[in-house]
Amino acid sequence: MQDHGKPSSTSRRDLLRMIGVAGGGALVYQAMSGLGLAAESTWRAPPKLEGGAKGASVLILGAGLAGLVAAYELSRAGYKVQVLEYNARAGGRNWTLRGGDRYTELGGHTQTCRFDKGLYFNPGPWRIPYHHHGLLDYCKRLGVALEPFVQINGNVYLHRQDAFGGKPQRYREVRSDFQGGIAELLAKATQQGKLDEAVSKEDREILLESLRSWGALDKNFSYAMNNGTSDRRGYAREAGGGPDGKPEFSKPVGLHDVLGSKLWGDLIVADLYEYQPSLMQPVGGMDMIGKAFVREVGSLIRYNAKVTSIVQDEHGVTAHWQDTMSPGSTQQARADWCICTIPLSILSQIPMNVSEPMAAAISAVPYAASAKVGLQFKRRFWEEDDAIYGGVGYTDLPIGMLSYPSHGFGTKKGVLLGSYTFGIDSFEFTALDPDERVRQAVAYGSQIHPQYREEFENGMSVGWHRSPFTLGCFGLWSEEAREKHYADICKIDGRIALAGEHASYLPAWQEGAILSSLSVVERLHARVSAGSKA
Amino acid sequence: MNKPCRMSLVALIALACLVPRVHAQSGPAFLDREAQQKATGEQIFTHICQGCHMADAKGAQGAGTYPALAGNPKLASPQYPMAMVLNGRGAMPPFGRLFSDEQVAGVVNYLRSHFGNHYTDTISAADVKAMRP
């Protein structure tokens, strides 16, 4: 099917790259995960676990969001719950780094976060779409304060090294010129009767009017330099007050140059379901969600517990685990049922007596690469110099994207997301030592913001394949693998059920972990209620 | 306009993310697109493999393990590492789409002759081609 054996032809390569760039990282990982269409969360209401637990106990492996949700719901329903967690903290990929935090990655490099008080960086999930109802409901129920996350900002930069001499372009200009140029072209074709086969006579005038409106075309259906176009792409000189207040219009870029720049590829992100406003973030860092769950169920969690084997029998499930603080002796935890949220990258290495189909499924899902770099700067030059308040900009440099903080506008310092990558660039970032990742992010980012050189203070980097608790970023389902194995991942196998983003159609999203967990909790409770012996 | 079927579009996009971007100035730490197409076994190791298997190829251990490639008896036959690089398994992602037959052979041969591995037999691009699904 693919032309294996030699690298793809240049044109094919270019096409593929364009598609990749078009979606930014997000579309790519969604597509990589066999999810061609954005799936809306199917959550509608908190689970009703009625009828009591009948004295049943549940062992939960992993205190990420899937494990925390299960612990919260089941303990409230009366189950005896215990949770084993590998890390010294709960939350898993729901994680925030702040000044003073230490992070040791696989390979042994330890970073100590030197961010100023109040500044932070979310190495994992960092934004919540408005339709992730389950996650939003838990935020509400647990009192996690939310604030807007700025995804789309007309004033961020779009950048490609071979476009406009490598000079970053403002999003609003690219968007306006792309749309205006296409509207003008279509209007011409319509007027010349070239679309007569596709457009009825009655629709023709309406089409022309809509193109004028959509593309800011003038009375002659031209996309020209005037108030209408400057009102979209911005002014060469801003409107002001007093005698010198008259604005100067800006000059649109012609369609040929806009198309050739390929910067239009980054505009699509705004149209994707998961990135359409509004998006939200917890005030103070994404881990506020994990911490809120810990307030509810923290007493049930045993930290620093590395699971080494999982054995089920007719009556229950036993997990063997080692205390990572004092390795050597193996301890046991046992319950009637087990909800295992350990990422498949790790679970595929842990002996566990489940059915052959589930075992095959566990080994069938490789984990996607991703890397992030957070950079602290002495001043918010992006606000002070560039008037960029939040938002995500894109580049074809290896750093992939820049995101400006959505909070703390007008304060002195800030932490930028200086790089967020998937695919090849993230493999390469991960292969670097943490300090080198930060240096590279600063070096590349200074091509977009020369202020980097003066203002950079310190940074943190996370390459997800070096995360000791996940060995990768998220389960990378292919459509073929889903077809073959997804149902087996989701089955309750004897007394063991798996949960996590890897058991959902919302890969990498916290909502996927939550919905997967709720699905397991409800099915398990139904079995217990029915008096099932597994 | 032809409407591409969803699956093929998804497959294209999935491929796309394994295709490197153009770097006009190749930073020393990153392979540019041209360099990537020509990357040697050693370059592939230092730019990709060592992300998990580490610079000394001794692997790493956390909640799970990245196996050492140094002194790993599974490298005695080139077939095993070749299959792993091409198809992946468990936590190991597949890299067959990213690299040419020559490159897969190059990285397998590199692993088997470095890090304390002294295997003298090598595999060729033709061997890799034969193993592709």
Side-chain angles (χ1 to χ4, degrees), chain B residues 32-88:
Chain B
D32 66 20
R33 185 155 65 97
E34 210 171 312
Q36 190 270 334
Q37 283 177 305
K38 294 182 202 150
T40 62
E42 179 175 8
Q43 285 174 316
I44 290 170
F45 181 84
T46 56
H47 285 262
I48 308 279
C49 311
Q50 76 173 32
C52 296
H53 297 283
M54 302 300 156
D56 58 6
K58 288 185 176 162
Q61 192 156 15
T65 300
Y66 289 132
L69 304 174
N72 186 335
K74 286 182 174 168
L75 267 57
S77 160
Q79 305 295 319
Y80 181 81
M82 181 161 64
M84 287 298 279
V85 171
L86 281 176
N87 307 322

Side-chain angles (χ1 to χ4, degrees), chain A residues 202-382:
Chain A
E202 294 73 35
D203 284 349
R204 196 184 126 123
E205 292 311 309
I206 302 173
L207 173 64
L208 282 169
E209 265 327 297
S210 72
L211 288 171
R212 193 196 322 256
S213 158
W214 184 64
L217 307 184
D218 65 14
K219 62 182 189 315
N220 301 316
F221 295 98
S222 290
Y223 181 70
M225 182 169 156
N226 55 36
N227 190 53
T229 56
S230 286
D231 212 27
R232 304 225 176 150
R233 66 190 313 288
Y235 292 80
R237 192 180 117 109
E238 300 277 352
D244 303 324
K246 188 179 179 188
E248 282 175 27
F249 302 144
S250 65
K251 190 170 185 296
V253 173
L255 184 60
H256 172 78
D257 291 337
V258 175
L259 291 177
S261 78
K262 298 180 182 171
L263 291 173
W264 43 263
D266 296 316
L267 302 172
I268 292 168
V269 179
D271 292 329
L272 297 176
Y273 187 42
E274 280 155 335
Y275 304 107
Q276 293 172 23
S278 297
L279 286 96
M280 287 155 269
Q281 63 180 11
V283 175
M286 190 56 83
D287 70 349
M288 292 300 173
I289 298 172
K291 286 177 170 168
F293 275 107
V294 168
R295 284 196 291 275
E296 304 289 332
V297 297
S299 63
L300 307 175
I301 304 171
R302 176 62 165 87
Y303 295 100
N304 302 311
K306 174 177 170 170
V307 174
T308 55
S309 77
I310 303 161
V311 185
Q312 60 174 327
D313 55 44
E314 204 182 325
H315 306 292
V317 184
T318 301
H320 298 90
W321 59 278
Q322 292 184 348
D323 185 341
T324 58
M325 295 292 109
S326 54
S329 68
T330 299
Q331 307 185 53
Q332 293 186 12
R334 186 171 169 87
D336 300 330
W337 303 87
C338 174
I339 297 177
C340 176
T341 73
I342 297 172
L344 302 180
S345 47
I346 294 161
L347 189 60
S348 59
Q349 303 181 12
I350 297 175
M352 177 169 74
N353 60 338
V354 290
S355 66
E356 185 48 42
M358 180 180 267
I362 289 168
S363 287
V365 186
Y367 268 52
S370 180
K372 272 186 179 179
V373 181
L375 303 172
Q376 176 176 310
F377 292 93
K378 285 177 216 163
R379 67 181 182 95
R380 293 183 171 229
F381 56 82
W382 54 92

